[in-house]
Amino acid sequence: MSKKTSSWVLEDAATTYGIRDWGNGYFDISAKGEVVVNLTDGKKTRPISLPDIVRGMKERGMQLPVLIRFGDLLRRRIEELNEGFANAIAEAQYRGVYRGVYPIKVNQQQEVIEDVTEFGRKYHYGLEAGSKPELIAALAYMQDPQAYIVCNGYKDEEFIDLALQAQKMGLQVILVLEMPSELDLILERSKILGVEPALGVRIRLFTEGGGHWCESGGEKSVFGLNIAQVMDAVDKLRDRNMLHCLRMLHYHQGSQIPSISAIRNAAVEAARVYVGLVQEGAKMGILDLGGGLAISYDGLKGNSASSADYGMREYCADVIEAISEITDEAGVPHPDLITESGRAVVAYYSVLVINVLDINRYEPSGINKLPARSPALVKNLFELRKLTRSRTQKVTSALVREVYNDAVYYRDKIRSEFSSGNISLRQRSMGEEFYWEVLTWVATHSKTAELSPEQEERLAGIKTDYYYGNFSLFQSLPDSWAIDQMFPVMPIHRLKEEPTRAVVLSDITCDSDGKMDKFVHSQEFHNTLPLHDIKIDDEYMLGIFLVGAYQETLGDLHNLLGDTNVVSVKIENGKLKYLRELEGDTVSEVLTYVEYEPKDLARRFRVLAEGAVSKKLITAKERREIVDSYEEGLRGYTYFES
């Protein structure tokens, strides 16, 4: 086990894991060495221990892994966004209003949509729907006549009819033209239903945003109209005396845009187009800047794909300033503004807590005497190991390099001899053991020697432990696997102790891609994460933070590992309350997703077991126990159960 060292203090833990950089004031470390979440209790903010939340969850019968949702953080993010624009509007004497919308696709869970509409009500904060199912969900929860429902994505007749009928009932539904062909169908359906549509048009900017999703904006975007297509739509509407229906200009620069200069440049370009549409005679009045407001996953506050070189206040102020300058110059009234900020609103909302199930690391060999007739190459490595164990040997740069080169040479020769049949499997095993122990010594003294990058990379593997976490990367953190998205990871307890192990975190999917080996700690990027030495019978818990955006809805059923348990918590009158406890997928539920019928599976297994009884391989009593165990497995959690 790691021991508390005299030089390690809590401030070191905060610096190492960067919790005060990416935590945005929502997460911190307590005097007990535990991660806390700062939740609002009336007018006070109280730190709540994540380990305490997990303990309470376990007392209620739930197991790890668990996704913990904090509605209070979602509320505060909505408030910060809306108040940020309100302050920027007041300071700049901007003459439009802000009416943001939450894009449902970022996290479609019912609880999220319910919380967004409840917390956003006082700001007339709306929803963005990119599909018919999302629109159906939006219409059930968004019934504020002053809030917008923005309809993006591909639209069939049923989608359009539903939007127009909602508009007829008094809701502010805007149908955004994403492709030229949509306009004719919208106008046709609006004539049949007797409703003049509120139209928006999405343009393809030439200003790109950068980051992972830069191609979702700019001229390479799949959706949106180029300027010539926009003018064709304007002419068509004018010919039908319906140009007044064009109310909104929309663009989408990308998600998680790291640079504020790119955001400002896009706002300038869009404002120029907006002014041009007003000058063409369109009614307009609304400018929708789409998504892109970033958060700092890595805490470095830079312009990398996982970071942002700006904060929410600067974002709001720069957008307002850029648009007001262009519209004032043209003498055009300031438009009302919409943003579709989803990631920045909901990312902090969820934390995944997992436990470590097992460890794989190099352990020194216990061989102190060679068997008779051991091959010379194995003896050479044995002698090399004796040299590294010598306390009288002076360690120099030359010695470290010499030992390294000799160990690699002997190991490679042993493997060659094994392939030729001249060395047995056990002899090769001994040679490999000595090799790893020698390289462990080299790694300990690597700072003494000037090793090449290739040599350093070889040594990095020796220094690395593999911790197996009770989770599926593909289910809970798909962006980590697919696009190398960074997520903050750290222990949620034992932070008064110095972490001594360099770790790659693996999931339990038995897939080589199911691992996390890219981290930010100590203000730098690393391929390992510092964690504590542990014993398997001790529960060691890690938190994976900022997972509220996209991860729940993008996750797949790799190895048929389903949704985790979910707990929603809040603090009220000083007491922790568990608002919702959603059990994760059972084995039978996951199997139904891939077209198995659990009753049929059980029937088939009972037939197999009865056949084993007939062959006298098992008794009838054993059959009952085996069948009961199989059916209990169908009802169980897909993750490791203690």
Side-chain angles (χ1 to χ4, degrees):
M1 298 288 290
S2 301
K3 294 182 179 179
K4 179 180 177 182
T5 62
S6 58
S7 61
W8 179 267
V9 295
L10 287 175
E11 193 61 34
D12 293 321
T15 302
T16 296
Y17 295 110
I19 190 170
R20 291 173 189 155
D21 298 317
W22 52 257
N24 203 42
Y26 304 136
F27 301 98
D28 209 336
I29 300 174
S30 71
K32 290 173 62 178
E34 297 178 342
V35 173
V36 295
V37 55
N38 295 313
L39 299 180
T40 304
D41 184 9
K43 294 185 178 180
K44 296 181 179 179
T45 299
R46 298 181 187 271
I48 306 301
S49 161
L50 289 190
D52 281 350
I53 293 173
V54 173
R55 281 188 281 271
M57 176 201 80
K58 288 184 175 180
E59 289 170 358
R60 288 161 172 80
M62 301 189 80
Q63 296 197 42
L64 296 177
V66 64
L67 188 75
I68 307 175
R69 293 175 178 162
F70 302 105
D72 180 53
L73 301 189
L74 179 58
R75 176 186 60 79
R76 285 156 67 182
R77 292 300 287 175
I78 291 173
E79 288 178 352
E80 288 170 17
L81 177 61
N82 282 272
E83 295 296 334
F85 268 108
N87 292 334
I89 285 170
E91 289 174 7
Q93 297 182 330
Y94 190 82
R95 293 179 296 280
V97 300
Y98 174 71
R99 290 284 187 271
V101 299
Y102 170 75
I104 294 176
K105 66 176 177 288
V106 177
N107 190 328
Q108 301 108 321
Q109 301 298 323
Q110 181 273 336
E111 184 179 5
V112 176
I113 305 308
E114 183 176 7
D115 283 349
V116 165
T117 52
E118 178 185 346
F119 301 146
R121 187 173 296 120
K122 67 178 178 179
Y123 302 109
H124 306 299
Y125 192 66
L127 295 170
E128 182 266 343
S131 68
K132 187 163 48 184
E134 288 185 353
L135 178 58
I136 287 172
L139 293 176
Y141 281 89
M142 181 51 60
Q143 300 178 4
D144 178 359
Q146 295 188 62
Y148 290 113
I149 298 176
V150 176
C151 296
N152 289 320
Y154 190 84
K155 306 167 194 68
D156 61 10
E157 185 176 300
E158 193 173 271
F159 186 129
I160 293 167
D161 285 0
L162 197 57
L164 292 172
Q165 288 160 348
Q167 186 182 334
K168 199 172 187 178
M169 292 189 296
L171 297 180
Q172 296 220 49
V173 183
I174 301 176
L175 284 162
V176 178
L177 301 177
E178 300 264 13
M179 53 194 72
S181 61
E182 288 183 326
L183 181 57
D184 287 336
L185 182 58
I186 292 173
L187 295 181
E188 176 188 328
R189 298 310 302 170
S190 66
K191 184 176 181 180
I192 292 172
L193 295 176
V195 184
E196 280 198 341
L199 296 175
V201 59
R202 174 174 172 175
I203 60 167
R204 297 179 182 178
L205 298 180
F206 59 75
T207 305
E208 294 188 357
H212 286 305
W213 296 272
C214 61
E215 290 191 3
S216 65
E219 294 181 315
K220 297 178 183 177
S221 173
V222 174
F223 290 102
L225 280 62
N226 61 37
I227 296 301
Q229 291 168 331
V230 170
M231 297 313 296
D232 285 343
V234 167
D235 292 341
K236 184 173 290 187
L237 288 169
R238 181 184 287 114
D239 290 344
R240 300 192 184 191
N241 295 317
M242 295 184 72
L243 188 54
H244 59 280
C245 294
L246 185 55
R247 299 280 314 284
M248 185 178 83
L249 177 68
H250 169 48
Y251 68 90
H252 185 69
Q253 196 179 4
S255 181
Q256 179 69 16
I257 300 172
S259 169
I260 189 63
S261 62
I263 289 172
R264 187 179 182 113
N265 291 340
V268 168
E269 182 187 349
R272 293 286 185 195
V273 177
Y274 178 90
V275 165
L277 290 173
V278 172
Q279 292 170 342
E280 283 287 327
K283 182 178 180 181
M284 304 306 290
I286 308 167
L287 177 56
D288 181 348
L289 287 68
L293 176 56
I295 61 170
S296 185
Y297 287 93
D298 56 27
L300 300 182
K301 308 294 192 296
N303 60 3
S304 70
S306 294
S307 196
D309 64 5
Y310 58 94
M312 191 175 289
R313 181 175 180 178
E314 184 180 359
Y315 170 82
C316 298
D318 277 27
V319 163
I320 292 291
E321 184 179 17
I323 295 168
S324 60
E325 284 179 357
I326 301 302
T327 50
D328 286 346
E329 176 188 300
V332 169
H334 295 163
D336 292 343
L337 298 180
I338 292 176
T339 65
E340 300 176 6
S341 301
R343 182 187 304 274
V345 167
V346 81
Y348 296 94
Y349 175 66
S350 303
V351 176
L352 179 67
V353 178
I354 66 173
N355 53 317
V356 175
L357 301 176
D358 207 347
I359 298 171
N360 188 359
R361 67 165 63 118
Y362 169 72
E363 300 291 350
S365 165
I367 303 172
N368 293 313
K369 185 178 180 181
L370 280 179
R373 298 182 180 178
S374 293
L377 290 168
V378 175
K379 289 179 180 178
N380 291 341
L381 273 172
F382 181 74
E383 292 300 319
L384 201 58
R385 187 189 70 163
K386 283 174 63 177
L387 174 67
T388 63
R389 289 184 170 188
S390 171
R391 296 186 178 181
T392 60
Q393 180 69 49
K394 183 179 179 181
V395 178
T396 64
S397 175
L399 177 66
V400 174
R401 290 197 299 273
E402 181 182 350
V403 168
Y404 173 88
N405 291 329
D406 286 350
V408 172
Y409 172 78
Y410 294 141
R411 196 280 307 268
D412 290 349
K413 289 290 288 182
I414 286 172
R415 289 183 172 179
S416 176
E417 290 294 293
F418 173 76
S419 296
S420 300
N422 299 323
I423 285 181
S424 71
L425 181 62
R426 184 168 296 277
Q427 290 167 342
R428 176 186 166 182
S429 172
M430 284 190 296
E432 298 273 359
E433 289 276 8
F434 301 147
Y435 166 80
W436 284 111
E437 193 165 344
V438 169
L439 257 65
T440 299
W441 178 87
V442 172
T444 305
H445 297 90
S446 59
K447 291 183 179 178
T448 305
E450 296 178 359
L451 300 177
S452 69
E454 181 183 353
Q455 292 169 330
E456 289 286 1
E457 185 177 352
R458 189 193 296 261
L459 293 177
I462 295 172
K463 299 176 185 177
T464 301
D465 295 347
Y466 288 86
Y467 281 25
Y468 296 92
N470 192 13
F471 77 111
S472 164
L473 189 79
F474 308 96
Q475 172 61 245
S476 295
L477 303 168
D479 278 345
S480 177
W481 166 73
I483 57 172
D484 292 330
Q485 176 69 51
M486 304 287 289
F487 292 98
V489 185
M490 67 179 294
I492 64 171
H493 57 152
R494 293 182 56 187
L495 294 167
K496 295 174 78 171
E497 304 171 31
E498 182 176 4
T500 59
R501 311 302 303 191
V503 174
V504 166
L505 185 61
S506 173
D507 69 6
I508 58 172
T509 62
C510 73
D511 191 304
S512 59
D513 284 343
K515 65 181 179 180
M516 299 180 74
D517 59 0
K518 294 179 177 63
F519 305 95
V520 172
H521 63 81
S522 309
Q523 298 290 310
E524 293 180 349
F525 293 96
H526 298 270
N527 293 324
T528 60
L529 180 70
L531 294 178
H532 302 91
D533 196 5
I534 63 175
K535 293 179 180 178
I536 297 306
D537 54 356
D538 294 335
E539 181 151 70
Y540 188 62
M541 296 183 292
L542 304 177
I544 306 176
F545 296 82
L546 310 190
V547 300
Y550 293 104
Q551 304 316 296
E552 286 189 72
T553 52
L554 289 178
D556 70 7
L557 294 175
H558 200 79
N559 280 123
L560 296 183
L561 291 166
D563 288 338
T564 65
N565 291 326
V566 179
V567 171
S568 300
V569 299
K570 68 178 291 188
I571 187 76
E572 191 174 281
N573 298 322
K575 294 183 179 180
L576 185 64
K577 288 194 171 183
Y578 292 77
L579 304 181
R580 302 190 189 195
E581 300 169 38
L582 305 176
E583 291 188 357
D585 287 331
T586 64
V587 173
S588 63
E589 287 170 337
V590 166
L591 288 169
T592 62
Y593 301 157
V594 287
E595 301 178 6
Y596 292 96
E597 171 50 56
K599 288 184 178 180
D600 181 58
L601 292 173
R603 179 189 62 78
R604 288 171 175 269
F605 187 77
R606 284 194 294 270
V607 170
L608 173 66
E610 186 59 34
V613 173
S614 300
K615 296 175 184 177
K616 297 185 179 181
L617 299 173
I618 60 174
T619 66
K621 182 180 178 182
E622 287 174 325
R623 174 192 183 276
R624 184 179 68 205
E625 293 172 352
I626 293 171
V627 168
D628 286 349
S629 177
Y630 182 87
E631 293 180 350
E632 180 66 25
L634 282 172
R635 294 188 290 271
Y637 198 17
T638 59
Y639 293 93
F640 182 86
E641 296 184 272
S642 59

